[in-house]
PDB file of all heavy atoms in Angstrom:
ATOM      1  N   TYR B  50       1.503  21.011   1.615  1.00 90.00           N
ATOM      2  CA  TYR B  50       0.743  20.936   2.862  1.00 90.00           C
ATOM      3  C   TYR B  50      -0.109  22.208   3.062  1.00 90.00           C
ATOM      4  O   TYR B  50      -0.764  22.348   4.073  1.00 90.00           O
ATOM      5  CB  TYR B  50       1.599  20.616   4.084  1.00 90.00           C
ATOM      6  CG  TYR B  50       2.760  21.590   4.272  1.00 90.00           C
ATOM      7  CD1 TYR B  50       2.528  22.707   5.087  1.00 90.00           C
ATOM      8  CD2 TYR B  50       3.914  21.305   3.673  1.00 90.00           C
ATOM      9  CE1 TYR B  50       3.618  23.565   5.222  1.00 90.00           C
ATOM     10  CE2 TYR B  50       5.026  22.220   3.860  1.00 90.00           C
ATOM     11  CZ  TYR B  50       4.842  23.356   4.609  1.00 90.00           C
ATOM     12  OH  TYR B  50       5.879  24.133   4.794  1.00 90.00           O
ATOM     13  N   ASP B  51      -0.061  23.046   2.074  1.00 89.00           N
ATOM     14  CA  ASP B  51      -0.928  24.290   2.200  1.00 89.00           C
ATOM     15  C   ASP B  51      -0.773  24.962   0.879  1.00 89.00           C
ATOM     16  O   ASP B  51       0.095  24.755   0.045  1.00 89.00           O
ATOM     17  CB  ASP B  51      -0.430  25.164   3.397  1.00 89.00           C
ATOM     18  CG  ASP B  51      -1.635  26.035   3.892  1.00 89.00           C
ATOM     19  OD1 ASP B  51      -2.660  26.156   3.245  1.00 89.00           O
ATOM     20  OD2 ASP B  51      -1.403  26.567   4.980  1.00 89.00           O
ATOM     21  N   VAL B  52      -1.718  25.964   0.666  1.00 92.00           N
ATOM     22  CA  VAL B  52      -1.667  26.726  -0.572  1.00 92.00           C
ATOM     23  C   VAL B  52      -0.298  27.418  -0.689  1.00 92.00           C
ATOM     24  O   VAL B  52       0.216  27.938   0.273  1.00 92.00           O
ATOM     25  CB  VAL B  52      -2.866  27.796  -0.498  1.00 92.00           C
ATOM     26  CG1 VAL B  52      -2.732  28.662  -1.758  1.00 92.00           C
ATOM     27  CG2 VAL B  52      -4.106  27.158  -0.510  1.00 92.00           C
ATOM     28  N   LYS B  53       0.256  27.451  -1.810  1.00 89.00           N
ATOM     29  CA  LYS B  53       1.530  28.022  -2.225  1.00 89.00           C
ATOM     30  C   LYS B  53       2.693  27.338  -1.505  1.00 89.00           C
ATOM     31  O   LYS B  53       3.814  27.712  -1.712  1.00 89.00           O
ATOM     32  CB  LYS B  53       1.503  29.554  -1.882  1.00 89.00           C
ATOM     33  CG  LYS B  53       0.468  30.305  -2.751  1.00 89.00           C
ATOM     34  CD  LYS B  53       0.811  31.823  -2.576  1.00 89.00           C
ATOM     35  CE  LYS B  53      -0.337  32.566  -3.375  1.00 89.00           C
ATOM     36  NZ  LYS B  53      -0.320  32.320  -4.813  1.00 89.00           N
ATOM     37  N   MET B  54       2.470  26.317  -0.760  1.00 90.00           N
ATOM     38  CA  MET B  54       3.639  25.633  -0.161  1.00 90.00           C
ATOM     39  C   MET B  54       3.882  24.336  -0.844  1.00 90.00           C
ATOM     40  O   MET B  54       2.901  23.637  -1.429  1.00 90.00           O
ATOM     41  CB  MET B  54       3.278  25.185   1.353  1.00 90.00           C
ATOM     42  CG  MET B  54       2.836  26.366   2.222  1.00 90.00           C
ATOM     43  SD  MET B  54       4.152  27.702   2.246  1.00 90.00           S
ATOM     44  CE  MET B  54       5.411  26.906   3.085  1.00 90.00           C
ATOM     45  N   LYS B  55       5.214  23.970  -1.060  1.00 92.00           N
ATOM     46  CA  LYS B  55       5.485  22.734  -1.770  1.00 92.00           C
ATOM     47  C   LYS B  55       6.793  22.235  -1.187  1.00 92.00           C
ATOM     48  O   LYS B  55       7.664  22.986  -0.748  1.00 92.00           O
ATOM     49  CB  LYS B  55       5.653  22.984  -3.241  1.00 92.00           C
ATOM     50  CG  LYS B  55       6.666  24.028  -3.607  1.00 92.00           C
ATOM     51  CD  LYS B  55       6.744  24.365  -5.093  1.00 92.00           C
ATOM     52  CE  LYS B  55       7.742  25.392  -5.415  1.00 92.00           C
ATOM     53  NZ  LYS B  55       7.806  25.729  -6.841  1.00 92.00           N
ATOM     54  N   GLU B  56       6.915  20.891  -1.175  1.00 92.00           N
ATOM     55  CA  GLU B  56       8.112  20.234  -0.714  1.00 92.00           C
ATOM     56  C   GLU B  56       8.432  19.073  -1.653  1.00 92.00           C
ATOM     57  O   GLU B  56       7.617  18.454  -2.218  1.00 92.00           O
ATOM     58  CB  GLU B  56       7.832  19.580   0.654  1.00 92.00           C
ATOM     59  CG  GLU B  56       7.574  20.563   1.753  1.00 92.00           C
ATOM     60  CD  GLU B  56       8.863  21.356   2.087  1.00 92.00           C
ATOM     61  OE1 GLU B  56       9.958  20.956   1.831  1.00 92.00           O
ATOM     62  OE2 GLU B  56       8.674  22.593   2.515  1.00 92.00           O
ATOM     63  N   LYS B  57       9.757  18.934  -1.858  1.00 93.00           N
ATOM     64  CA  LYS B  57      10.273  17.834  -2.728  1.00 93.00           C
ATOM     65  C   LYS B  57      10.050  16.479  -2.116  1.00 93.00           C
ATOM     66  O   LYS B  57      10.156  16.387  -0.916  1.00 93.00           O
ATOM     67  CB  LYS B  57      11.692  18.077  -3.042  1.00 93.00           C
ATOM     68  CG  LYS B  57      12.055  19.308  -3.891  1.00 93.00           C
ATOM     69  CD  LYS B  57      13.488  19.426  -4.113  1.00 93.00           C
ATOM     70  CE  LYS B  57      13.834  20.660  -5.002  1.00 93.00           C
ATOM     71  NZ  LYS B  57      15.256  20.862  -5.276  1.00 93.00           N
ATOM     72  N   GLY B  58       9.703  15.628  -2.937  1.00 92.00           N
ATOM     73  CA  GLY B  58       9.604  14.182  -2.564  1.00 92.00           C
ATOM     74  C   GLY B  58      10.967  13.473  -2.816  1.00 92.00           C
ATOM     75  O   GLY B  58      11.933  14.075  -2.830  1.00 92.00           O
ATOM     76  N   ASP B  59      10.750  12.193  -3.190  1.00 91.00           N
ATOM     77  CA  ASP B  59      12.038  11.370  -3.436  1.00 91.00           C
ATOM     78  C   ASP B  59      12.539  11.530  -4.846  1.00 91.00           C
ATOM     79  O   ASP B  59      13.737  11.311  -5.041  1.00 91.00           O
ATOM     80  CB  ASP B  59      11.605   9.923  -3.242  1.00 91.00           C
ATOM     81  CG  ASP B  59      11.216   9.609  -1.806  1.00 91.00           C
ATOM     82  OD1 ASP B  59      11.894  10.198  -0.805  1.00 91.00           O
ATOM     83  OD2 ASP B  59      10.212   8.986  -1.587  1.00 91.00           O
ATOM     84  N   ILE B  60      11.771  11.931  -5.841  1.00 95.00           N
ATOM     85  CA  ILE B  60      12.159  11.970  -7.239  1.00 95.00           C
ATOM     86  C   ILE B  60      11.679  13.259  -7.837  1.00 95.00           C
ATOM     87  O   ILE B  60      10.962  13.302  -8.877  1.00 95.00           O
ATOM     88  CB  ILE B  60      11.748  10.706  -8.061  1.00 95.00           C
ATOM     89  CG1 ILE B  60      10.217  10.522  -7.898  1.00 95.00           C
ATOM     90  CG2 ILE B  60      12.489   9.471  -7.523  1.00 95.00           C
ATOM     91  CD1 ILE B  60       9.702   9.523  -8.946  1.00 95.00           C
ATOM     92  N   PRO B  61      12.152  14.486  -7.396  1.00 96.00           N
ATOM     93  CA  PRO B  61      11.620  15.682  -8.005  1.00 96.00           C
ATOM     94  C   PRO B  61      12.261  16.107  -9.270  1.00 96.00           C
ATOM     95  O   PRO B  61      11.758  17.044  -9.905  1.00 96.00           O
ATOM     96  CB  PRO B  61      11.935  16.700  -6.858  1.00 96.00           C
ATOM     97  CG  PRO B  61      13.235  16.158  -6.205  1.00 96.00           C
ATOM     98  CD  PRO B  61      13.061  14.601  -6.273  1.00 96.00           C
ATOM     99  N   GLU B  62      13.372  15.567  -9.575  1.00 96.00           N
ATOM    100  CA  GLU B  62      14.195  16.062 -10.819  1.00 96.00           C
ATOM    101  C   GLU B  62      13.346  15.992 -12.051  1.00 96.00           C
ATOM    102  O   GLU B  62      12.730  15.043 -12.379  1.00 96.00           O
ATOM    103  CB  GLU B  62      15.415  15.317 -10.932  1.00 96.00           C
ATOM    104  CG  GLU B  62      16.392  15.373  -9.717  1.00 96.00           C
ATOM    105  CD  GLU B  62      16.011  14.510  -8.570  1.00 96.00           C
ATOM    106  OE1 GLU B  62      15.166  13.560  -8.714  1.00 96.00           O
ATOM    107  OE2 GLU B  62      16.560  14.699  -7.452  1.00 96.00           O
TER     108      GLU B  62
END
Side-chain angles (χ1 to χ4, degrees):
Chain B
Y50 55 90
D51 207 343
V52 176
K53 296 191 186 296
M54 305 304 293
K55 59 185 180 183
E56 293 294 334
K57 294 180 180 179
D59 299 316
I60 51 166
E62 297 78 17

